[in-house]
Amino acid sequence: MKQFNAEKTKKELVTFLSTSFKKAGFSDAIIGVSGGVDSATATALATLAFGRDHVFPVLLPCGTLNKNASGDASSLLDELNIPIQNRTIIDIHKIVDDYSSIDPSIDKLRRGNIMARVRMTLLFDQAKKRHALVIGTENRTEHLLGYYTRFGDEASDIEPLRHLYKSEVYMLAEHLGIPNSIIKKAPTAGLWEGQTDEVEFGFSYSDADTILSLATEEHVSTEKIASQWAEKGFNPNIVYRVIKHMEQNAFKHHLPMTKAK
């Protein structure tokens, strides 16, 4: 991976956000704040780009699931001095439960996808209400791995972090002064109790970033990366696991499928 300059990246992204919004004719931003590092970083950037009065965070908890995340999200908004009247909290528990009750066969993965798409619907409704654009919080690692719900948490009007690997988001978050309580906790999509991203993957974000960078930017073959991995005393199976995850979800980057003329 290339050397990362957090200050330069911050300035570029603040300019990107403000210029893009101005060009589109908008001045207010809606952002879903989960209590995780990606949404925290995007919210901090939005506050720098537009000013705290033009940022409208939306917290979308699901009952008692991942309860500490809402506290972290609220603390972040306090740190950024975003006005109370700009904040919206909508508990999606009843919406998700009402739909899930229709089909007793719904498992935790389907329920998680429903949660992500309900949140997307509510974010865009809030944007319509306030004549605002929805800022996304997806990073490059998640995007390459296809680690998102189609038409759910990847849906947005603008994505300031999608070109940054997860490790780069962490470095930017530290530079922006995001609280350690957010930076240090295990990444989770918060879609079911006890879920964490890295346990679900079977590999760490740090390993994924290194492997994905070699594969997608330096165009090193999977076999060569695995060989290099083994030479350094690491488990080469992790390389194959990361690449397989990326390849299996590559179709998500080409939706909807359309028939050529």
Side-chain angles (χ1 to χ4, degrees):
M1 290 175 62
K2 297 175 183 176
Q3 189 173 4
F4 182 72
N5 186 322
E7 177 62 20
K8 181 183 177 184
T9 301
K10 179 192 80 173
K11 289 178 179 178
E12 288 175 347
L13 290 177
V14 168
T15 300
F16 167 66
L17 285 169
S18 58
T19 301
S20 299
F21 269 61
K22 186 176 181 180
K23 186 176 180 180
F26 291 82
S27 58
D28 291 339
I30 292 287
I31 186 163
V33 184
S34 66
V37 69
D38 299 303
S39 68
T41 303
T43 304
L45 290 169
T47 304
L48 290 171
F50 312 119
R52 62 182 186 176
D53 292 333
H54 293 277
V55 178
F56 294 87
V58 184
L59 281 66
L60 297 162
C62 188
T64 59
L65 180 63
N66 204 19
K67 194 173 182 180
N68 291 337
S70 293
D72 288 335
S74 295
S75 296
L76 170 75
L77 301 182
D78 291 341
E79 289 265 344
L80 296 174
N81 293 314
I82 294 178
I84 295 292
Q85 62 268 25
N86 283 29
R87 310 178 195 182
T88 301
I89 302 175
I90 306 171
D91 192 333
I92 66 169
H93 190 257
K94 187 176 187 306
I95 301 172
V96 174
D97 273 3
D98 284 351
Y99 180 80
S100 298
S101 66
I102 297 171
D103 182 356
S105 73
I106 286 179
D107 58 19
K108 66 181 181 180
L109 185 57
R110 285 177 61 197
R111 183 180 171 87
N113 285 337
I114 292 164
M115 289 165 59
R117 292 180 178 123
V118 166
R119 286 173 171 143
M120 176 275 294
T121 300
L122 296 176
L123 287 174
F124 275 93
D125 179 63
Q126 289 293 309
K128 187 68 175 177
K129 173 183 176 180
R130 299 185 183 279
H131 186 66
L133 293 180
V134 175
I135 296 181
T137 64
E138 186 181 25
N139 60 62
R140 179 171 172 81
T141 312
E142 293 170 342
H143 184 71
L144 288 174
L145 293 173
Y147 189 62
Y148 55 81
T149 299
R150 286 165 287 166
F151 317 112
D153 51 332
E154 54 85 41
S156 67
D157 291 308
I158 187 167
E159 290 285 350
L161 304 179
R162 187 177 281 180
H163 67 300
L164 299 180
Y165 289 102
K166 186 76 168 186
S167 53
E168 293 175 325
V169 174
Y170 277 119
M171 288 186 276
L172 181 57
E174 288 183 8
H175 184 71
L176 291 168
I178 300 302
N180 274 333
S181 59
I182 291 176
I183 292 175
K184 299 298 183 184
K185 68 182 178 181
T188 174
L191 299 181
W192 57 82
E193 201 65 53
Q195 183 268 341
T196 65
D197 298 355
E198 293 176 322
V199 169
E200 194 175 349
F201 289 149
F203 50 80
S204 69
Y205 272 115
S206 178
D207 287 345
D209 286 353
T210 301
I211 294 164
L212 291 170
S213 176
L214 288 168
T216 65
E217 294 180 34
E218 299 183 36
H219 307 291
V220 181
S221 70
T222 303
E223 290 72 23
K224 188 170 182 180
I225 299 172
S227 177
Q228 293 172 350
W229 214 251
E231 287 172 7
K232 294 177 181 178
F234 302 135
N235 182 358
N237 289 332
I238 292 174
V239 175
Y240 292 104
R241 197 175 297 155
V242 170
I243 298 301
K244 182 180 179 181
H245 206 294
M246 178 177 68
E247 291 176 346
Q248 284 182 331
N249 290 300
F251 75 96
K252 291 185 178 183
H253 303 154
H254 306 287
L255 296 175
M257 300 175 198
T258 58
K259 186 180 181 301
K261 273 192 172 184

